[in-house]
Amino acid sequence: MTGEVRSLLIGAVCVALAAAVPYVTDGYWLSIALTAMMYIALSTSWALFSGPTHYISLASGAFFGIGGYLVATGMSDYNQSFWLMMFVAAVVATLLAGLIGLATLRLSGVYFVIFTLGLAEMIRNLVSWVQNNFLGSRGLYVLTDFTDAHIYWMLLAVAAAVFLFGWFIDRSRLGFALKIIGNEETVARHVGINTAWTKVVLFMSTGFFAALVGAIIAPRYSYIEPNLVFSPELSFLVVIMALLGGTHRLWGPLLGVIPFTLIWEAISIWVPNFTTLFLGLAFLTIVYFIPNGFVGLLEKLRHRSVA
Amino acid sequence: MSNGRTLLDVQNISKKFGGLVAVNGLSFTVKEQEVLGIIGPNGSGKTTVMNLISGAFPLSSGSIRLMGRELADLSAHRIARAGVARTFQLVRILPGLSVMDNVVAGAVFGHRRRWRTEAESHARDLLDRVGLGDKHYQPVSALTYIDQKRVELARALAGDPQILLLDEWLAGLNPSELHTGIELIESLSREGRTIILVEHVMDAIRTLCHRCIVVNSGQLIAEGTPASVLSDPTVISAYLGDD
Amino acid sequence: MDILISGLLLGGTYVLIAMGLNLQYGVARIMNLANGEMIVLGALAGFWLYMTATISPLLTIFLIAPIAFAGNWLVYRLLLVPLVRRAGNQGQLEVDSILATFGMSFVLVGIMVSLHGEYFTYSFLASPLSILGTTVALNRLVAFGFAVVIGLILYLWLNHSRAGMAVRAVSVDPASARLVGIDVGKVSALAFAVGGMVSAMAGVLISTFITLDASVGVIFTMKALIIVIMGGVGDIRGAIVAAVILGMVETAVATLIDPGLTLAAAYLIFLLVLLFKPQGLFGRAPV
Ligand SMILES: Nc1ncnc2c1ncn2[C@@H]1O[C@H](COP(=O)(O)OP(=O)(O)OP(=O)(O)O)[C@@H](O)[C@H]1O
Ligand SMILES: [Mg+2]
């Protein structure tokens, strides 16, 4: 059995196991699994772009928000179907990501971070303002007959698609190009890689997936508020979970999401005032103690036991 | 050699950095299968010429044609695909990749594009060729300086370029390494590759170059065989710095 | 006219905010995303000392200056120097320092929220005053005056003292500064500490006329960034012009269009600057 077939099989088994979760539990734990699945999709797709390029994007919240918000306005103000709006949101977010990418990917790392953060905040402000001043008379309701289990399965499908996409990228010229860009961009250009296009395509894919996730999650809230879905906190959580797990392996972010979601959940329940402090400590822990994430730790351990 | 077709035609190129004119109205041509040397004192604009040809940054004015095709407005990756490959004065490797993948990088995206097994076997041949036959799967950051230069050369060759730009590829080598290095470039030349060579090592210039141009302060001051330009009084005074 | 005067007064305080970050980024080369929290900490100190001990914020400025200086010096020495040492290249250092200072920023917000979760409101010198037909609150004017004084002192220090010269030398070119015998590590720590101190002092001033809460630091960080980048990193005069522009634009948008859009306007300027003039309004193209 070749390595490729084996990893695909393992992936399929994992998806099947994950799909069974709603049959085992349907209350509190399902809702946690749902949150975790959402972050698995978001962090893994974030890492596909940011892992190799080291460009830290804080725009996840914006794309996610576009998903949630467009589904909400479309369904409550324009009577469109959920599916259509999900599709529209994904297209809009992908295009927006393309524009951001074209405009910014020649900027240096710091400026890219700040640009994405600023842009996400600006979109949040503008949407809130438009909503409050022009459309605000009625609230935004997302009424569907989806249960948590349905939402969970849809998210699982997106997460599986992200993994498949990542697996495919890893074996393609595009993925190899990305690796080279992350190493030395000048060399990348001089061996014939269209660096701008490569980065933009990958960045668009993160926009696409984040918008899908945002759209799918919308029915869970049923009442949508722009400030809720365009949450800057979400962007930070995505980054932190991905880095905690490790971004240089496809399955790295997964290892970060699961423990982090559990701890985050516990903290939100027991000591809600400490979430921000915890977020800060998590950032510091990653930078100072586990710069390559859990994957890095595991690999080091394995290396040591072999040697 | 001198009766071959013109491969690269550089006309009246200039590059300004703010107020500094690094290259000033330079013109020259390179024929197929020719090795052209570019020499000149430090800071005279040699590397800048290489950067302009490879598209590292845009020209301020002028035209560069590769077999008739204008390169001036193309970005670096398109120029690379058109058939220009280079090494860098300060070695640039891909530190996170193996020696093998460093070279495969040149084979996958370059002028002639290969993929997977084809790219790998091509890279393997080139690594043997530059003398790294036993180091294929080492991390490239573990290599010595000279070996890193070899990796860079193999990477530049991997895309089967039309023209190869070597920016002081021989600098920093000890005498025996220098000897091997010169032989290596000589063998590339015998294969019929077209090369532009920027060098301070005059022995290498004499041995390798069919023709030489001399630049000073971004301007062409002499052109001809290595022997004739090296004995030219203007060239000597430019090097001695009393211009 | 209203817009001009209010905008100018707002710009004056923005100058201070930006100067802190400018020193930290321009000299120590650390993009300190926890800079806004320093401002909020200053504001919290001003508020708290006034409420509990009726200490005038104008006195608090000088009380907290040494503390902020020491605190920032320690942060630089203990938390940031290891990152500088570890980083193989500027890119790695950038990523690490962004993540680390984000971490610090969240930690500080977390601590401040647990200290005082509500708004920092108090009223200090709130009497109205009329200049050139525009009514402004006295506290704004006083804050502006103090901002000008602090800015001047900083300017004189940078241009006419030995330490200030060293700071400027490092900001222009650390490698050459090292060659002429400047201890770059020490100077960077000094600049970082002074930068943090100026930010905290600005925070106290701001608290006299803007109502803050523990979590608004990020907004100040963004504004400081907007100004620093628009003015050009390490360029004090550029920062002043940029701060005044930002103050004016915000005031104009708030009075002419809608106060709800001020933040969006600030970000819009920022994005435009990043896109079209990332080297700053007066900066030359990077070489
Ligand atoms: N990217 C750049 N930005 C600004 N100035 C530059 C740049 N590259 C080169 N220069 C300037 O252009 C002039 C020519 O530099 P160049 O590197 O081409 O010289 P060179 O002939 O290769 O020198 P050496 O023999 O030392 O390698 C120098 O004055 C240099 O400082
Ligand atoms: Mg050179």
Side-chain angles (χ1 to χ4, degrees):
Chain A
M1 191 156 59
T2 67
E4 302 209 336
V5 174
R6 207 182 59 178
S7 49
L8 278 182
L9 268 180
I10 294 178
V13 170
C14 288
V15 171
L17 283 178
V21 168
Y23 296 109
V24 183
T25 167
D26 57 0
Y28 177 63
W29 288 104
L30 178 59
S31 86
I32 290 188
L34 194 156
T35 308
M37 194 52 78
M38 157 178 139
Y39 282 111
I40 289 172
L42 290 172
S43 297
T44 308
S45 102
W46 180 89
L48 286 182
F49 166 74
S50 294
T53 58
H54 309 296
Y55 276 93
I56 298 178
S57 155
L58 289 173
S60 311
F63 301 134
F64 178 90
I66 288 174
Y69 181 75
L70 285 185
V71 163
T73 18
M75 290 178 71
S76 49
D77 292 350
Y78 300 95
N79 260 323
Q80 298 299 322
S81 81
F82 170 79
W83 302 106
L84 176 72
M85 290 318 294
M86 178 170 98
F87 174 76
V88 170
V91 171
V92 169
T94 310
L95 291 179
L96 179 69
L99 285 179
I100 299 176
L102 285 177
T104 59
L105 287 169
R106 69 205 155 83
L107 296 176
S108 81
V110 201
Y111 288 6
F112 179 77
V113 182
I114 297 162
F115 185 93
T116 52
L117 180 62
L119 186 88
E121 284 293 288
M122 190 180 90
I123 293 178
R124 181 164 71 111
N125 266 294
L126 280 177
V127 173
S128 297
W129 184 74
V130 169
Q131 183 69 27
N132 293 336
N133 286 283
F134 303 109
L135 315 163
S137 46
R138 286 171 302 149
L140 295 172
Y141 295 93
V142 184
L143 303 174
T144 59
D145 41 19
F146 296 143
T147 63
D148 269 9
H150 294 132
I151 296 178
Y152 173 84
W153 281 319
M154 286 193 266
L155 289 175
L156 175 62
V158 175
V162 171
F163 271 90
L164 212 59
F165 178 68
W167 186 84
F168 165 77
I169 290 285
D170 223 23
R171 278 154 190 74
S172 69
R173 281 176 196 254
L174 190 65
F176 190 45
L178 210 60
K179 231 188 256 169
I180 297 170
I181 294 173
N183 266 273
E184 242 286 9
E185 190 150 348
T186 314
V187 171
R189 295 197 299 130
H190 281 96
V191 295
I193 294 170
N194 188 340
T195 53
W197 186 82
T198 306
K199 289 191 282 187
V200 169
V201 166
L202 259 288
F203 190 58
M204 286 170 81
S205 82
T206 68
F208 172 81
F209 285 119
L212 274 191
V213 171
I216 292 172
I217 278 285
R220 194 191 191 194
Y221 297 127
S222 43
Y223 181 79
I224 296 274
E225 233 248 290
N227 271 320
L228 179 80
V229 288
F230 286 97
S231 139
E233 186 181 84
L234 180 116
S235 307
F236 284 103
L237 288 173
V238 167
V239 173
I240 216 152
M241 293 188 206
L243 293 174
L244 183 68
T247 55
H248 59 291
R249 289 275 178 276
L250 184 55
W251 41 272
L254 180 72
L255 297 190
V257 170
I258 292 172
F260 194 95
T261 320
L262 291 175
I263 300 175
W264 186 253
E265 196 62 34
I267 290 181
S268 315
I269 293 172
W270 303 113
V271 276
N273 284 337
F274 283 87
T275 47
T276 316
L277 184 62
F278 172 70
L279 197 61
L281 292 175
F283 264 113
L284 293 176
T285 311
I286 291 173
V287 176
Y288 291 98
F289 302 108
I290 34 177
N292 296 315
F294 289 145
V295 175
L297 277 187
L298 282 180
E299 284 175 351
K300 216 181 201 170
L301 283 180
R302 207 167 57 189
H303 208 73
R304 213 171 280 163
S305 65
V306 169
Chain B
M1 301 295 146
S2 51
N3 47 18
R5 284 187 301 158
T6 298
L7 183 73
L8 189 76
D9 185 10
V10 175
Q11 285 306 322
N12 209 15
I13 58 169
S14 295
K15 179 69 189 177
K16 299 192 184 77
F17 293 113
L20 176 90
V21 186
V23 173
N24 192 355
L26 202 63
S27 303
F28 60 91
T29 58
V30 188
K31 300 205 162 60
E32 270 178 348
Q33 309 199 342
E34 185 178 38
V35 178
L36 176 81
I38 303 184
I39 60 175
N42 288 110
S44 54
K46 305 180 295 294
T47 297
T48 307
V49 172
M50 299 295 233
N51 284 335
L52 292 174
I53 299 174
S54 72
F57 35 61
L59 289 163
S60 299
S61 64
S63 139
I64 300 176
R65 287 167 183 279
L66 181 73
M67 308 221 298
R69 176 174 176 200
E70 181 61 56
L71 301 183
D73 299 322
L74 301 184
S75 47
H77 73 271
R78 286 175 168 273
I79 293 178
R81 287 179 195 175
V84 176
R86 70 174 295 181
T87 64
F88 294 88
Q89 182 169 354
L90 298 172
V91 175
R92 286 180 191 265
I93 47 160
L94 303 166
L97 302 185
S98 69
V99 169
M100 188 67 183
D101 278 348
N102 262 270
V103 181
V104 170
V108 171
F109 304 99
H111 176 54
R112 159 124 158 61
R113 316 183 103 203
R114 299 170 165 88
W115 183 228
R116 291 190 193 262
T117 47
E118 199 197 352
E120 287 193 16
S121 74
H122 187 56
R124 199 166 290 127
D125 292 347
L126 286 168
L127 281 170
D128 292 344
R129 179 80 193 277
V130 299
L132 288 176
D134 51 342
K135 297 183 176 147
H136 291 184
Y137 291 102
Q138 289 194 0
V140 73
S141 46
L143 296 184
T144 59
Y145 186 68
I146 159 100
D147 281 351
Q148 293 190 352
K149 290 203 135 189
R150 290 178 154 135
V151 170
E152 231 195 353
L153 180 61
R155 182 181 71 211
L157 290 170
D160 294 350
Q162 306 267 18
I163 183 162
L164 183 63
L165 315 182
L166 301 180
D167 193 355
E168 304 204 17
W169 190 77
L170 296 165
L173 307 189
N174 68 31
S176 80
E177 290 167 346
L178 187 62
H179 185 73
T180 345
I182 291 180
E183 269 182 358
L184 184 56
I185 298 179
E186 208 166 15
S187 76
L188 295 176
S189 163
R190 271 199 304 275
E191 265 173 19
R193 293 185 191 265
T194 313
I195 301 175
I196 298 184
L197 200 67
V198 167
E199 269 310 332
H200 283 301
V201 183
M202 291 307 158
D203 277 347
I205 295 285
R206 282 196 194 88
T207 327
L208 296 170
C209 297
H210 303 122
R211 207 156 52 81
C212 260
I213 62 171
V214 188
V215 286
N216 190 24
S217 308
Q219 282 172 313
L220 188 84
I221 57 167
E223 182 169 8
T225 62
S228 71
V229 297
L230 287 177
S231 57
D232 185 329
T234 37
V235 175
I236 294 169
S237 73
Y239 264 92
L240 293 178
D242 57 9
D243 51 328
Chain C
M1 201 60 204
D2 275 17
I3 296 173
L4 271 182
I5 291 185
S6 313
L8 194 66
L9 290 181
L10 189 60
T13 9
Y14 284 168
V15 171
L16 272 196
I17 299 181
M19 272 187 186
L21 189 72
N22 214 338
L23 277 172
Q24 297 188 324
Y25 188 51
V27 182
R29 321 261 149 170
I30 299 282
M31 179 55 90
N32 181 10
L33 297 173
N35 185 267
E37 275 63 40
M38 247 4 261
I39 295 168
V40 179
L41 266 180
L44 181 59
F47 162 77
W48 191 68
L49 287 176
Y50 188 74
M51 293 310 270
T52 55
T54 39
I55 293 175
S56 158
L58 299 179
L59 183 61
T60 307
I61 297 180
F62 300 101
L63 293 180
I64 62 145
I67 304 174
F69 181 90
N72 277 279
W73 191 83
L74 284 177
V75 164
Y76 184 78
R77 279 284 156 179
L78 298 180
L79 291 175
L80 298 174
V81 167
L83 296 184
V84 177
R85 294 236 170 86
R86 172 176 97 187
N89 52 46
Q90 186 63 25
Q92 184 61 42
L93 177 60
E94 273 180 358
V95 172
D96 281 350
S97 60
I98 284 170
L99 296 176
T101 56
F102 265 139
M104 291 171 209
S105 135
F106 283 123
V107 168
L108 286 175
V109 172
I111 294 174
M112 288 190 290
V113 167
S114 56
L115 286 179
H116 189 87
E118 294 109 50
Y119 287 110
F120 316 159
T121 31
Y122 63 108
S123 143
F124 174 77
L125 298 180
S127 47
L129 197 77
S130 168
I131 9 169
L132 300 171
T134 304
T135 316
V136 292
L138 181 58
N139 49 26
R140 280 197 177 232
L141 203 62
V142 171
F144 179 77
F146 265 74
V148 170
V149 172
I150 297 175
L152 263 179
I153 295 176
L154 197 63
Y155 182 80
L156 292 176
W157 178 71
L158 281 174
N159 285 285
H160 297 281
S161 75
R162 258 191 100 74
M165 302 273 223
V167 166
R168 284 195 305 138
V170 173
S171 119
V172 174
D173 184 352
S176 320
R178 192 169 283 125
L179 286 182
V180 297
I182 294 173
D183 182 341
V184 173
K186 226 182 200 163
V187 169
S188 298
L190 178 69
F192 194 86
V194 172
M197 180 181 84
V198 172
S199 302
M201 292 164 92
V204 183
L205 288 178
I206 290 169
S207 75
T208 62
F209 63 94
I210 297 182
T211 299
L212 303 180
D213 70 52
S215 61
V216 298
V218 62
I219 293 180
F220 286 111
T221 307
M222 291 301 284
K223 287 189 178 169
L225 281 171
I226 296 174
I227 296 165
V228 169
I229 293 174
M230 182 155 61
V233 176
D235 182 345
I236 301 257
R237 275 172 312 162
I240 294 174
V241 176
V244 173
I245 294 180
L246 183 67
M248 300 264 182
V249 170
E250 284 194 352
T251 319
V253 169
T255 41
L256 301 179
I257 310 177
D258 187 324
L261 280 181
T262 23
L263 213 52
Y267 288 128
L268 186 66
I269 302 184
F270 180 43
L271 300 185
L272 292 178
V273 168
L274 274 185
L275 289 182
F276 298 108
K277 278 289 239 174
Q279 69 278 16
L281 289 180
F282 311 104
R284 275 168 285 122
V287 284

